[in-house]
Amino acid sequence: MEFTFEAEKERYTFEQSKIRGIYEDFSDPEYFNRQVLVLGKMMTLFGEPLYLTQNVEKQYEYSIKATSKTGNNICLTVYSGATGPSIGGGMDKKSKEAADELAEYICNAKPSDYHYEGYYMDGPCMVREGVKDGTPYRMEKELDLCDEEFAALYERLYGIKK
């Protein structure tokens, strides 16, 4: 391995872009199960995320310091957003190399068990997902909300009134 990886305790505030998804083979029939495994794998490797929300499109984030063999540090983030579990950072060659190696490191980890409940408002639906004994699961249940209930949930997830 060219890099070692360490979770930081503070959220990075620098300008960043998505470098890559953790899993990028959309044709893989196990793609969605693999997406669910990522948080469990991150917990195994790095502990609890910096935050975990009920908003599926802003589910969690980790700040990860990648240190090269030469001692150079690269700041990356691992997060789950609208496009699923991803790695963000700078768009330079070394950041991309570190992101590729971090994705491989994550993919090869064993997942910890976890249970998550959140909301995807485009449905709207409640999402329950997690890992139990190494096996991923995901269930979605459409929400039947009146306008007031929808507005209250929207405000709770996004912090703004709808």
Side-chain angles (χ1 to χ4, degrees):
M1 268 186 18
E2 160 117 12
F3 296 94
T4 57
F5 302 102
E6 179 183 351
E8 299 281 77
K9 303 282 188 223
E10 299 294 322
R11 186 168 184 236
Y12 292 142
T13 57
F14 63 90
E15 195 67 32
Q16 62 179 332
S17 296
K18 177 180 175 179
I19 299 173
R20 58 163 295 147
I22 304 294
Y23 292 102
E24 295 192 308
D25 183 1
F26 301 110
S27 67
D28 179 354
E30 289 297 309
Y31 175 78
F32 289 105
N33 284 334
R34 294 184 199 287
Q35 298 284 71
V36 172
L37 289 169
V38 172
L39 179 56
K41 292 174 181 240
M42 291 298 295
M43 291 171 146
T44 297
L45 295 171
F46 301 110
E48 294 296 318
L50 294 170
Y51 67 77
L52 182 65
T53 74
Q54 288 188 308
N55 180 350
V56 172
E57 294 187 297
K58 191 176 180 166
Q59 190 178 11
Y60 61 83
E61 185 174 328
Y62 288 83
S63 293
I64 304 295
K65 178 173 67 174
T67 304
S68 71
K69 287 181 179 178
T70 60
N72 293 327
N73 292 326
I74 297 169
C75 300
L76 302 171
T77 59
V78 174
Y79 63 94
S80 186
T83 60
S86 302
I87 299 173
M91 296 309 290
D92 58 281
K93 183 180 177 191
K94 274 298 186 189
S95 293
K96 290 179 182 181
E97 290 172 5
D100 288 343
E101 194 169 309
L102 177 57
E104 183 178 344
Y105 182 57
I106 295 166
C107 291
N108 290 326
K110 294 208 180 301
S112 295
D113 285 356
Y114 76 93
H115 177 77
Y116 169 81
E117 291 186 12
Y119 299 92
Y120 179 65
M121 296 304 285
D122 286 353
C125 62
M126 173 185 262
V127 174
R128 288 187 176 108
E129 67 181 29
V131 176
K132 179 71 174 161
D133 299 325
T135 303
Y137 63 89
R138 181 177 170 99
M139 297 163 278
E140 293 182 14
K141 179 184 175 197
E142 188 175 343
L143 297 174
D144 184 21
L145 303 173
C146 70
D147 289 345
E148 293 82 19
E149 291 169 323
F150 181 87
L153 179 58
Y154 189 92
E155 183 176 357
R156 190 172 93 219
L157 295 178
Y158 297 100
I160 52 176
K161 291 186 185 261
K162 176 102 172 136

